[in-house]
Amino acid sequence: MFDAKTLKQVCDGTAEWSEKVKGGAGGAQEPRRFSTVSDLEIKPLYTPDDTKDLDFAETIGHPGSFPFTRGCQPDMYRGRVWTFRMFSGFGSAEDTNRRYHHLLTHGETGLSIAYDYPSLMGYDSDSPRSHAEIGKCGVAIDSLADFEVLMDGIPLGDVTVSHTINPPATIMWAMNLALAEKQGVGWNRLGGTIQNDMLKEFIAQKTFMCPIEPSVRLVRDTIEFGSKHVPRWNTVSISGYHMREAGATAVQELAFTLADGITYVQDVLDHTGMEVDVFAPRLSFFFDSHIDFFEEIAKFRAARRIWARVMKERFKAKNPRSLWMRFHTQTAGCSLTAQQPLNNVVRTATEALAAALGGTQSLHTNSYDETLALPSDQAVTVALRTQQIIAEETGVTNTIDPLAGSYFVEALTREMEEKALDYIEKIDKMGGMLAAIDQGFPQLEIADAAYRYQRQLDSNTKTLVGVNKYVTEAKAPIELLKINEKLEEEQVKRVNEVKRTRDNRMVSQALGDVRRACKGGENVMPHVIEAVKAYATEQEICDVYREVFGEYRDPGFF
C-alpha cells in the first residue's frame, strides 16, 4: 500500500519518535503493559509499516464486495440503518405484550423474545421443575395460547421477530408459523430469527436438553424446512455472545463461533443433499460487543472476512449472499456492574457505537439496571434511545466503515483474523467442533480466559470503574422491576385450562407423529407445527424429544 521510499521515511521517523519517548520517561517508572480487555498486547504507535503487506482488494476492498471486510451491503447504513431490536420478555404474555407495544411506539423496529428459564429448558409452568422461576428471567410461554396473547395486535407480516431459545426452538418457531397462518400471513412474508444454536449451549450457556448429535439434527431440520418453506427466515443464529459472557476472549468468541458455523454447514451438506447456496444465504450470527472499543470493531471486520473466505474456499459457494456474514449484536451484559449502575449507560453507549462502526445488521442495547433486575420501562427506553442517538445524531452512519485504512484498526483486524484461524485449524485437526466439545477444548479455553481476566481485576492490572477503582459507598436510587408472585399461580391455571379444553385425542395423535419423525429420521417441523396447532404444550413436545433422543448430562470440564 506504500512505496519503499515512504516506508523508509516511516521507519526512520518511528525510530526517532521512539527515542524521544524513552528520553521523556526518565527511566524511573516501571513500564506499563497496555493490552485489550482480551489481553492482546497493543503497541504504543501504529504506522504504515504495520499495514505494508495488506493488499487493498484482497483484505479491505469495498462494501458489498468480497471479502466483505467493510460490510455486506454496498450502501450499508446509508441505505438502511441497523434494526433496533431490544431483547425483551418478563412475567406473563400480557406483561410482555404491553412492553412490546411500548417499544414499538418508541421506535423499536424488530422484536426479540426473552423466554423464562422453564421455557428455555423445555418445561411447562405446571412442572415441579418450574417452581419459583416462572416469568422471572423472561416471558412464560407454554402453548400456542400464550403465544397468541404475546403477539396480540402485532402484525407478523410487518414486524420481524427473533426468538432467543435453543433446545425448544423448533416448537417456538412452529408457534410463530401457526399464528402467522391464523393472521392470514403467508410464510413467504415472515421475517425473523430463531437462535437455535445448540453447539454453543454445550460450550457456554448450558441450556441443553438432548445429546449433541440429535440436537444438531434438530437444527438441520429447521434449516432444511426454512429453506423450502419460509425463505425470509433465519433458521439459526450462530452465537458467540454466550461464550463471551462466559469469559471468552474476543479471539475465542470469533473462532469458536465460526467453527460452529462451519459445523452446521457441513452437517446440512452431509445429510440433506441440499446445495450450499440454497441455505447459506439465510445463516445468521450473533456477537457480543464488549467494552474494548477498537478490539470489537476489529473483531466484527475480521469475522466477515473469515466467513466469506470459508464459504468461498472450503464450501465452494457461488452466490455472493452465501458469503455474507449478517449478524445481530448485543452489548456486553458481563461488562455491567451492580455498583454505580448509572455508569452502565456509558458502557452500553460505547459498546453500541463499536457495533455500529463494526457494521452490525441488528442491535440490542442493555439497560443500566440489568445486573439488579429485569429492565424497567424507564431503563429500557434509555437503552433504546442510546441506539437512536448513535444512529441519528452522531454522524457515524454518514459514511461506510469510516475506520478502514486506520493503521491500528487494520493491523488489529488482521491479528484477530490470524489468531482465530489458528484456533479453527486446531479444531479441524481434532476432527471438528463436535469432537472438540467432547474433549472439552473450547470449554477449558474459555474457563482459563475467564480466570485470567478475573485475576487481572483482582490485582488491579485492569480497571472496572466503581468496582476496583473509584469506589463509593453511595447508592444511586433507581426503580427496579418486580415480578408479581401471583403470576406462577395464574400461569399454571392457564396451562391447565388449555389441557382441559383442547381435543386431547388430536394432541395424542400429533405427538405420536412427532415421535415417529424423530425415530425415523423424517424432518420434524411439519409434525411439530401440527402439534402446536392442536395446543400441545412445549413440554409435551420436548418430552418426546427427551424420550427418543435421551438427555444430555454435562461432564463438567474445569
Side-chain angles (χ1 to χ4, degrees):
M1 293 179 70
F2 299 92
D3 61 28
K5 180 180 177 182
T6 301
L7 287 173
K8 184 179 185 310
Q9 289 173 341
V10 168
C11 290
D12 290 346
T14 302
E16 183 180 341
W17 166 85
S18 182
E19 288 302 314
K20 288 179 181 177
V21 170
K22 286 178 185 175
Q29 63 184 56
E30 180 105 8
R32 178 183 161 195
R33 179 175 178 270
F34 290 82
S35 65
T36 69
V37 74
S38 297
D39 215 31
L40 291 180
E41 193 153 353
I42 300 300
K43 293 165 54 175
L45 185 71
Y46 288 78
T47 71
D49 194 52
D50 294 287
T51 59
K52 64 184 178 184
D53 298 326
L54 291 183
D55 181 288
F56 178 83
E58 287 297 312
T59 58
I60 303 174
H62 291 85
S65 298
F66 184 84
F68 303 102
T69 307
R70 306 191 68 184
C72 297
Q73 296 86 1
D75 55 356
M76 286 299 286
Y77 303 143
R78 287 178 71 112
R80 179 186 170 193
V81 78
W82 63 86
T83 302
F84 302 157
R85 192 182 301 281
M86 302 300 291
F87 181 47
S88 310
F90 65 93
S92 68
E94 290 91 346
D95 295 330
T96 300
N97 178 262
R98 283 191 289 271
R99 173 64 62 83
Y100 288 166
H101 283 286
H102 170 84
L103 287 167
L104 290 168
T105 300
H106 284 81
E108 179 173 65
T109 52
L111 298 178
S112 181
I113 304 172
Y115 291 94
D116 70 358
Y117 207 69
S119 299
L120 292 174
M121 297 300 292
Y123 292 101
D124 291 340
S125 297
D126 61 350
S127 167
R129 292 175 180 248
S130 302
H131 177 61
E133 288 290 342
I134 297 167
K136 291 294 177 66
C137 73
V139 61
I141 300 293
D142 296 318
S143 73
L144 181 58
D146 291 321
F147 198 79
E148 289 166 346
V149 174
L150 181 70
M151 292 293 152
D152 184 44
I154 295 171
L156 294 178
D158 301 326
V159 178
T160 59
V161 179
S162 176
H163 300 254
T164 301
I165 198 159
N166 294 283
T170 52
I171 301 159
M172 297 311 184
W173 188 35
M175 291 183 191
N176 202 137
L177 298 177
L179 182 57
E181 284 188 356
K182 285 195 165 196
Q183 290 187 357
V185 177
W187 290 352
N188 62 324
R189 287 182 54 205
L190 285 181
T193 305
I194 41 174
Q195 189 165 101
N196 198 29
D197 175 7
M198 281 310 306
L199 291 175
K200 67 96 172 56
E201 296 297 328
F202 300 106
I203 296 170
Q205 193 176 22
K206 308 297 185 181
T207 59
F208 38 64
M209 183 170 66
C210 300
I212 296 178
E213 286 79 4
S215 296
V216 172
R217 175 259 173 102
L218 292 176
V219 177
R220 180 201 320 147
D221 281 358
T222 59
I223 292 172
E224 182 182 34
F225 186 84
S227 298
K228 293 177 179 178
H229 303 291
V230 199
R232 293 182 58 224
W233 199 276
N234 305 317
T235 46
V236 60
S237 176
I238 305 157
S239 305
Y241 184 86
H242 311 86
M243 296 185 240
R244 194 68 183 280
E245 293 291 295
T249 65
V251 168
Q252 289 170 347
E253 178 194 5
L254 175 57
F256 298 156
T257 304
L258 297 186
D260 285 352
I262 290 167
T263 302
Y264 290 129
V265 172
Q266 191 63 59
D267 181 75
V268 173
L269 292 174
D270 289 345
H271 292 92
T272 68
M274 296 171 68
E275 296 289 335
V276 68
D277 286 319
V278 172
F279 66 90
R282 296 316 305 182
L283 298 175
S284 64
F285 291 80
F286 175 26
F287 288 110
D288 197 300
S289 188
H290 214 293
I291 194 63
D292 195 297
F293 188 68
F294 292 107
E295 181 174 59
E296 295 307 297
I297 295 167
K299 179 187 75 181
F300 297 135
R301 299 174 84 249
R304 277 192 297 271
R305 192 155 75 204
I306 296 172
W307 187 249
R309 287 179 174 155
V310 163
M311 294 305 294
K312 183 178 181 180
E313 296 166 10
R314 185 186 290 219
F315 294 113
K316 311 303 179 188
K318 295 179 175 60
N319 182 350
R321 290 184 68 98
S322 299
L323 314 184
W324 287 11
M325 169 175 275
R326 299 169 303 113
F327 61 91
H328 171 71
T329 308
Q330 181 172 339
T331 56
C334 61
S335 72
L336 306 184
T337 64
Q339 300 91 332
Q340 303 175 30
L342 292 178
N343 292 347
N344 295 331
V345 176
V346 181
R347 293 186 176 103
T348 294
T350 303
E351 293 160 0
L353 182 58
L357 289 170
T360 192
Q361 275 66 58
S362 170
L363 179 61
H364 163 86
T365 31
N366 289 327
S367 300
Y368 60 78
D369 56 357
E370 288 193 33
T371 56
L372 301 167
L374 290 171
S376 66
D377 278 350
Q378 180 188 41
V380 78
T381 303
V382 170
L384 177 58
R385 293 287 182 259
T386 300
Q387 292 198 49
Q388 292 163 337
I389 290 168
I390 291 172
E392 301 192 32
E393 294 187 24
T394 63
V396 299
T397 61
N398 290 344
T399 192
I400 303 164
D401 191 25
L403 294 179
S406 157
Y407 312 131
F408 176 39
V409 170
E410 296 298 354
L412 189 55
T413 299
R414 180 171 60 180
E415 181 180 4
M416 298 196 75
E417 177 184 22
E418 290 170 350
K419 290 181 182 298
L421 287 171
D422 286 344
Y423 262 124
I424 292 170
E425 185 180 356
K426 282 182 186 176
I427 290 166
D428 283 343
K429 287 179 179 177
M430 290 178 186
M433 192 45 121
L434 269 64
I437 291 170
D438 282 341
Q439 295 171 45
F441 174 69
Q443 300 96 308
L444 289 169
E445 288 290 298
I446 291 170
D448 287 346
Y451 178 69
R452 285 194 301 272
Y453 179 65
Q454 189 58 50
R455 287 288 301 271
Q456 290 174 328
L457 290 178
D458 292 345
S459 64
N460 294 325
T461 306
K462 291 201 180 298
T463 297
L464 195 53
V465 171
V467 176
N468 66 355
K469 196 172 184 180
Y470 312 116
V471 179
T472 64
E473 296 300 321
K475 293 185 179 180
I478 61 172
E479 172 194 357
L480 296 181
L481 177 68
K482 295 183 179 179
I483 305 300
N484 191 328
E485 293 300 326
K486 290 183 178 179
L487 168 68
E488 179 166 342
E489 180 184 344
E490 293 167 357
Q491 188 65 22
V492 169
K493 282 182 182 177
R494 174 182 285 175
V495 69
N496 287 336
E497 182 66 11
V498 167
K499 291 176 180 178
R500 188 185 68 80
T501 57
R502 68 191 181 182
D503 185 336
N504 281 296
R505 214 166 56 170
M506 187 180 293
V507 170
S508 179
Q509 180 179 331
L511 292 174
D513 291 340
V514 173
R515 185 177 291 105
R516 280 188 291 276
C518 290
K519 289 180 176 178
E522 184 183 351
N523 194 302
V524 301
M525 279 307 303
H527 306 292
V528 174
I529 292 167
E530 291 306 311
V532 301
K533 284 181 182 178
Y535 291 91
T537 67
E538 178 196 31
Q539 181 173 341
E540 288 171 331
I541 301 171
C542 284
D543 282 346
V544 172
Y545 291 162
R546 285 184 272 256
E547 171 198 330
V548 176
F549 299 136
E551 294 186 63
Y552 181 78
R553 291 289 179 267
D554 192 274
F557 295 101
F558 296 100

